[in-house]
Amino acid sequence: MTNRKIIRLLCKKQLNTHLIVYLVLFFLQIKNKRLPLHQQIPLASRKISVPSGTFLFMGVRYTHQAITTEQQIDILKERGLLIDDVEQTIKVLDTISYFRLAGYWRHFEADRFTHQFREGSSFADIIDLYSFDKELRVLLFTAIQTIEVSVRTKIIKYFALQFGAFWFMGENYATNGMRFAANLAVIRKEVSRSHDDFITKHFRKYSEPDLPPVWKTLEVISMGTLSKLYSNFSDATAKHAVAREFGLNHHKFLRSWLECLAVLRNCCAHHSRLSNRVFPVKPMMPERMPNTWIADFTFREQTLYPQLCYVVYWLNSISPDNTFVASFKRLLANHPSVSPHLLGFPCHWEQEPLWR
């Protein structure tokens, strides 16, 4: 097939420009090198979704080799990053890996393809952003702990009294049988991994049923599993009762927030970057709420801002005297080089009733 025919064929698929260019270069590489196809395509492949469909995309082989810390610094300098203290930078890069920091310095890049930095960008500013992000994770994780413990307690309280100690083992309480089976299998695994005293003592004393009652089991399952368990529960009245405890008018909002909280919790627990992050799950953000809420909904939905909004609202419903907002503002003040815009905050966020 000629080069012109390849290009015509690709364009007929109505693919986006970047994918067309990449595929053209890929096929030209095969054609020009005259190598068998199996030698050109690595074993690994991935799927790419574009407006016209999903394609199995075969990437190029990775050939980069490991380099020294000093060479990493040379690369950053060549790209225009200001580094005042090389020795200190070496110490930092020997403590925090190059690619962990790369997520933070992308904000300072003028060109995402050449990775050239904007004029005036410094390594010190990148470390300041990293430090801010690290402190924010600590602050946020503390808030999440309060929310998580309360949610477990409320679900145990409302569900157990009405549906018994082992409702999570009854398929008749699930809206979807397949999800029920998958959830129960995960619960069994998570309980078997627990070394909590109340779990080990339970199994030494009781043999049936094969899982402890809900007030023990729900204390050791993951937040993700708890979220799925609540979502798949069939009794809407009981779910509404739990949601109302947190100032929510409908259980669908609590279901959404639980799902998002599980992702956010994992980001904090695994030291993942929060600033300038695109979150895979968007929380439902009702325009009207019983308690103090936000009025401006023009923010970017997949940023950290809406995640923090529901955390603050949720936390306020549990502990009205909490200091999360004050601590967050103090953290921003301690890192003046960090812009709230990196977290997806709108321009006038401090005027929002929730953030006052």
Side-chain angles (χ1 to χ4, degrees):
M1 186 181 293
T2 65
N3 297 350
R4 191 170 297 174
K5 285 182 179 179
I6 292 173
I7 295 171
R8 270 206 307 269
L9 181 63
L10 291 171
C11 290
K12 281 182 180 179
K13 290 289 185 181
Q14 297 180 341
L15 309 180
N16 63 51
T17 307
H18 288 99
L19 188 56
I20 290 175
V21 172
Y22 207 106
L23 289 173
V24 167
L25 292 174
F26 175 73
F27 282 113
L28 290 180
Q29 179 194 35
I30 297 172
K31 190 174 182 66
N32 293 337
K33 288 192 176 182
R34 304 290 182 183
L35 293 178
L37 187 63
H38 73 275
Q39 292 183 22
Q40 289 291 322
I41 301 178
L43 294 178
S45 63
R46 57 193 172 94
K47 290 182 179 179
I48 289 183
S49 295
V50 293
S52 54
T54 301
F55 294 85
L56 186 64
F57 182 71
M58 314 303 288
V60 296
R61 188 177 296 278
Y62 190 87
T63 58
H64 296 291
Q65 300 299 313
I67 60 175
T68 65
T69 306
E70 289 78 7
Q71 288 172 315
Q72 291 174 352
I73 291 173
D74 289 340
I75 289 173
L76 293 174
K77 284 183 173 180
E78 288 172 7
R79 292 174 178 173
L81 186 65
L82 301 177
I83 298 177
D84 297 326
D85 190 334
V86 174
E87 291 301 318
Q88 180 60 29
T89 304
I90 291 173
K91 289 180 181 178
V92 170
L93 288 173
D94 282 344
T95 305
I96 310 166
S97 75
Y98 182 94
F99 274 95
R100 180 170 290 275
L101 285 176
Y104 295 93
W105 67 55
R106 286 196 185 97
H107 164 66
F108 296 89
E109 291 178 348
D111 191 313
R112 293 295 176 89
F113 294 99
T114 65
H115 300 293
Q116 289 294 313
F117 288 96
R118 296 197 305 267
E119 188 176 352
S121 298
S122 70
F123 190 75
D125 287 339
I126 293 167
I127 296 304
D128 190 48
L129 177 58
Y130 175 84
S131 299
F132 166 83
D133 205 79
K134 181 180 178 181
E135 293 175 56
L136 178 57
R137 285 197 301 271
V138 174
L139 176 64
L140 191 51
F141 197 68
T142 302
I144 290 172
Q145 288 180 72
T146 300
I147 294 170
E148 183 178 340
V149 170
S150 182
V151 169
R152 291 177 191 272
T153 303
K154 301 297 185 188
I155 291 177
I156 291 168
K157 171 187 172 182
Y158 281 98
F159 289 17
L161 288 173
Q162 187 173 354
F163 304 101
F166 299 95
W167 59 262
F168 61 96
M169 299 180 71
E171 189 174 351
N172 53 313
Y173 294 126
T175 58
N176 184 291
M178 291 183 65
R179 289 176 189 168
F180 163 79
N183 289 340
L184 189 57
V186 172
I187 288 170
R188 286 197 167 97
K189 286 182 182 178
E190 291 178 343
V191 170
S192 69
R193 289 198 297 260
S194 173
H195 296 288
D196 286 274
D197 290 344
F198 60 90
I199 295 293
T200 55
K201 286 179 180 177
H202 178 90
F203 282 121
R204 280 200 297 266
K205 189 173 182 180
Y206 305 101
S207 58
E208 293 183 11
D210 64 337
L211 285 170
V214 67
W215 47 83
K216 296 180 182 180
T217 295
L218 259 61
E219 290 294 345
V220 298
I221 64 174
S222 70
M223 194 63 194
T225 303
L226 183 70
S227 169
K228 292 173 184 176
L229 203 58
Y230 178 85
S231 175
N232 199 41
F233 193 66
S234 60
D235 193 282
T237 303
K239 291 200 287 187
H240 276 310
V242 176
R244 281 193 293 269
E245 287 276 355
F246 302 113
L248 297 171
N249 290 326
H250 199 284
H251 66 77
K252 66 181 179 181
F253 301 130
L254 182 56
R255 176 196 55 76
S256 170
W257 288 11
L258 280 170
E259 185 181 359
C260 291
L261 192 72
V263 175
L264 187 61
R265 183 193 188 280
N266 287 339
C267 285
C268 294
H270 297 287
H271 326 299
S272 300
R273 174 175 47 85
L274 295 176
S275 58
N276 212 25
R277 186 180 194 88
V278 177
F279 286 85
V281 186
K282 297 180 289 186
M284 295 182 72
M285 302 290 280
E287 292 187 6
R288 294 181 180 179
M289 297 282 256
N291 303 329
T292 304
W293 187 227
I294 58 174
D296 182 6
F297 293 88
T298 59
F299 52 81
R300 291 171 292 158
E301 292 182 316
Q302 288 183 279
T303 62
L304 183 63
Y305 177 69
Q307 305 280 340
L308 292 183
C309 285
Y310 76 70
V311 165
V312 172
Y313 185 91
W314 210 340
L315 195 60
N316 288 345
S317 71
I318 300 166
S319 177
D321 297 326
N322 76 85
T323 60
F324 183 89
V325 170
S327 298
F328 176 75
K329 289 180 177 179
R330 189 162 52 248
L331 180 60
L332 277 174
N334 292 339
H335 298 272
S337 67
V338 177
S339 169
H341 180 71
L342 272 176
L343 311 178
F345 276 61
C347 294
H348 305 294
W349 66 274
E350 287 185 276
Q351 298 175 17
E352 288 283 2
L354 184 70
W355 291 97
R356 286 176 188 164

